[in-house]
Short mmCIF file of all heavy atoms in Angstrom, two decimals:
data_model
loop_
_atom_site.label_atom_id
_atom_site.label_comp_id
_atom_site.label_asym_id
_atom_site.label_seq_id
_atom_site.Cartn_x
_atom_site.Cartn_y
_atom_site.Cartn_z
N LYS A 57 -29.79 -18.95 -21.50
CA LYS A 57 -30.76 -18.55 -20.47
C LYS A 57 -30.47 -17.12 -20.02
O LYS A 57 -29.38 -16.82 -19.52
CB LYS A 57 -30.67 -19.50 -19.26
CG LYS A 57 -31.59 -19.12 -18.10
CD LYS A 57 -33.07 -19.20 -18.49
CE LYS A 57 -33.98 -18.88 -17.32
NZ LYS A 57 -35.41 -18.93 -17.71
N HIS A 97 -25.16 -23.42 -44.75
CA HIS A 97 -25.02 -24.71 -44.10
C HIS A 97 -24.12 -24.60 -42.88
O HIS A 97 -23.05 -24.00 -42.93
CB HIS A 97 -24.43 -25.74 -45.08
CG HIS A 97 -24.25 -27.10 -44.48
ND1 HIS A 97 -25.30 -27.83 -43.96
CD2 HIS A 97 -23.14 -27.87 -44.30
CE1 HIS A 97 -24.85 -28.99 -43.51
NE2 HIS A 97 -23.54 -29.02 -43.70
N PHE A 120 -27.10 -9.12 -41.54
CA PHE A 120 -27.88 -9.48 -40.34
C PHE A 120 -27.56 -8.49 -39.22
O PHE A 120 -26.48 -7.90 -39.19
CB PHE A 120 -27.53 -10.90 -39.92
CG PHE A 120 -28.13 -11.95 -40.82
CD1 PHE A 120 -27.48 -12.33 -41.99
CD2 PHE A 120 -29.36 -12.53 -40.52
CE1 PHE A 120 -28.03 -13.27 -42.83
CE2 PHE A 120 -29.92 -13.47 -41.35
CZ PHE A 120 -29.26 -13.85 -42.51
N CYS A 133 -42.82 -14.25 -35.53
CA CYS A 133 -41.76 -13.73 -34.67
C CYS A 133 -42.08 -14.08 -33.22
O CYS A 133 -43.06 -14.73 -32.92
CB CYS A 133 -41.59 -12.24 -34.87
SG CYS A 133 -43.11 -11.31 -34.62
N LYS A 143 -32.94 -33.79 -44.16
CA LYS A 143 -33.61 -34.74 -45.05
C LYS A 143 -33.25 -36.15 -44.62
O LYS A 143 -32.10 -36.47 -44.35
CB LYS A 143 -33.16 -34.50 -46.50
CG LYS A 143 -33.83 -35.41 -47.50
CD LYS A 143 -33.38 -35.10 -48.92
CE LYS A 143 -34.06 -36.02 -49.92
NZ LYS A 143 -33.64 -35.72 -51.31
N PHE A 220 -28.90 -34.43 -19.69
CA PHE A 220 -28.20 -33.57 -20.62
C PHE A 220 -27.14 -32.69 -19.96
O PHE A 220 -26.60 -31.80 -20.61
CB PHE A 220 -29.21 -32.68 -21.37
CG PHE A 220 -29.99 -33.42 -22.40
CD1 PHE A 220 -31.25 -33.91 -22.12
CD2 PHE A 220 -29.46 -33.66 -23.66
CE1 PHE A 220 -31.98 -34.60 -23.07
CE2 PHE A 220 -30.17 -34.36 -24.62
CZ PHE A 220 -31.43 -34.84 -24.32
N ASP A 238 -12.28 -44.48 -19.09
CA ASP A 238 -10.83 -44.50 -19.19
C ASP A 238 -10.45 -45.42 -20.36
O ASP A 238 -10.88 -46.57 -20.43
CB ASP A 238 -10.26 -45.03 -17.87
CG ASP A 238 -8.75 -45.01 -17.83
OD1 ASP A 238 -8.12 -44.90 -18.91
OD2 ASP A 238 -8.18 -45.11 -16.73
N ASP A 272 -22.64 -36.57 -29.55
CA ASP A 272 -22.09 -36.73 -28.22
C ASP A 272 -21.68 -38.19 -28.07
O ASP A 272 -22.48 -39.09 -28.27
CB ASP A 272 -23.17 -36.37 -27.19
CG ASP A 272 -22.59 -36.28 -25.80
OD1 ASP A 272 -21.95 -37.27 -25.37
OD2 ASP A 272 -22.77 -35.25 -25.14
N TRP A 282 -32.07 -49.62 -31.32
CA TRP A 282 -32.47 -50.94 -31.84
C TRP A 282 -33.24 -51.66 -30.73
O TRP A 282 -32.67 -52.44 -29.95
CB TRP A 282 -31.23 -51.73 -32.25
CG TRP A 282 -30.39 -51.05 -33.29
CD1 TRP A 282 -30.60 -51.05 -34.64
CD2 TRP A 282 -29.20 -50.26 -33.09
NE1 TRP A 282 -29.64 -50.32 -35.28
CE2 TRP A 282 -28.76 -49.82 -34.36
CE3 TRP A 282 -28.47 -49.89 -31.95
CZ2 TRP A 282 -27.63 -49.03 -34.51
CZ3 TRP A 282 -27.35 -49.10 -32.10
CH2 TRP A 282 -26.93 -48.67 -33.39
N GLU A 328 -29.63 -70.50 -40.23
CA GLU A 328 -30.57 -70.20 -41.30
C GLU A 328 -30.11 -69.01 -42.13
O GLU A 328 -30.23 -69.00 -43.36
CB GLU A 328 -31.95 -69.93 -40.72
CG GLU A 328 -33.02 -69.59 -41.73
CD GLU A 328 -34.35 -69.25 -41.08
OE1 GLU A 328 -34.41 -69.18 -39.83
OE2 GLU A 328 -35.33 -69.03 -41.83
N THR A 372 -10.82 -70.27 -43.02
CA THR A 372 -9.40 -69.93 -42.93
C THR A 372 -8.92 -70.10 -41.50
O THR A 372 -9.58 -69.67 -40.55
CB THR A 372 -9.16 -68.48 -43.36
OG1 THR A 372 -9.68 -68.28 -44.68
CG2 THR A 372 -7.68 -68.13 -43.33
N HIS A 402 -3.30 -54.28 -43.07
CA HIS A 402 -3.54 -53.50 -44.28
C HIS A 402 -4.62 -54.14 -45.16
O HIS A 402 -5.23 -53.48 -45.97
CB HIS A 402 -2.25 -53.30 -45.06
CG HIS A 402 -1.31 -52.39 -44.36
ND1 HIS A 402 -1.43 -51.02 -44.41
CD2 HIS A 402 -0.24 -52.63 -43.55
CE1 HIS A 402 -0.47 -50.46 -43.68
NE2 HIS A 402 0.26 -51.42 -43.15
N ARG A 413 -2.38 -64.31 -51.51
CA ARG A 413 -2.10 -62.91 -51.20
C ARG A 413 -2.47 -61.96 -52.35
O ARG A 413 -2.21 -60.78 -52.29
CB ARG A 413 -0.62 -62.75 -50.84
CG ARG A 413 -0.30 -63.52 -49.55
CD ARG A 413 1.17 -63.45 -49.22
NE ARG A 413 1.45 -64.17 -48.00
CZ ARG A 413 2.68 -64.29 -47.48
NH1 ARG A 413 3.71 -63.75 -48.09
NH2 ARG A 413 2.86 -64.97 -46.37
#
Side-chain angles (χ1 to χ4, degrees):
K57 177 64 178 179
H97 180 59
F120 286 85
C133 55
K143 182 178 180 180
F220 286 97
D238 184 342
D272 190 306
W282 301 278
E328 179 184 5
T372 304
H402 290 280
R413 296 176 180 179

